Amino acid sequence: MRTVLFTKLFGSRGLDEIGPTVADLGFDGVDLLIRPGFSVTPDEADRLPRVVADLRALGLDVPMATTDLTDPASFPTAKVFGACAEAGVGLIRLGYWNYDGSRPYDDIRDQARRDLDELERLAASYGIGLAIQLHGGTIHSSGALTRVLLEGRDPAVVSGYPDPGNQVVQDGREDWRLTFDLLRPWLSCVGVKNGGWFAGATQASGGRAWQSDWLGLADGMVPWPDILDHLRTTGFDGLLSFHSHYELPYDQVLDQTRVDLRFVRRCLERAG
């Protein structure tokens, strides 16, 4: 298992700061966010080979990138796929097929499968893989729902990306063992974060409001020692992408990220 840091936490900071920081934290590599307003944008994808070369010069691998891509016709798909292929970025996380109750599930599912048909064809032609992340507010918030989109697809081209932290603090919660069992044939990457719920203020109705928040990996509701042991014993050799979605001052986010990485490595050492 290789550890990579998702670069969303760096915002618009330059890659000349991001690379040395990730290397100093001790990660194996980078999960590079390609999104407007961040260090690399979809329209600037032709910069990617140079960016990846600079990161590798610091000893960092760049095995994956994250995008908002769902509809291949409304995104510079060929440009991003071509740049990733040239740079040796083998896995691209896709965006979200959202669900808010305003459209029937069947309609969104059918559209998602049509999008994925075209994306799978294009990705195969470039020799790269795609991943669908489990995320709240989507039609792929659980392992069971994500499998509906993955059925019949080549795991080498379209894969599943479970995210136990998302499942704890968002919708789509299910037994983590079931999640990994359902997605095992397609498993390429695991999102690493933790969170939990707590009782908030009393509402006018007299009922208590409940709130969720992101917590350190050792402190939330996700049983990471059990999950990491499961991944090791089942032979998972993919990516662990750390997200660090903390609402903290930047320096504290980095401190907590360093603690999180050490926690995961201790868990893996004990499991071994």
Side-chain angles (χ1 to χ4, degrees), residues 75 122 132 136 140 148 180 204:
F75 187 91
L122 288 169
I132 302 173
H140 41 91
V148 171
F180 284 95

Side-chain angles (χ1 to χ4, degrees), residues 23 34 96 127:
I34 302 175
Y96 311 130

Side-chain angles (χ1 to χ4, degrees), residues 18-53:
I18 293 172
T21 301
V22 177
D24 177 69
L25 289 170
F27 284 89
D28 298 321
V30 167
D31 171 2
L32 186 64
L33 179 58
I34 302 175
R35 180 180 290 170
F38 288 82
S39 52
V40 178
T41 70
D43 291 334
E44 299 172 333
D46 50 3
R47 294 178 52 221
L48 198 59
R50 180 69 261 167
V51 166
V52 170

Side-chain angles (χ1 to χ4, degrees), residues 46 54 67 162 172 200 211 240:
D46 50 3
D54 289 345
T67 71
Q211 298 171 267
L240 300 176

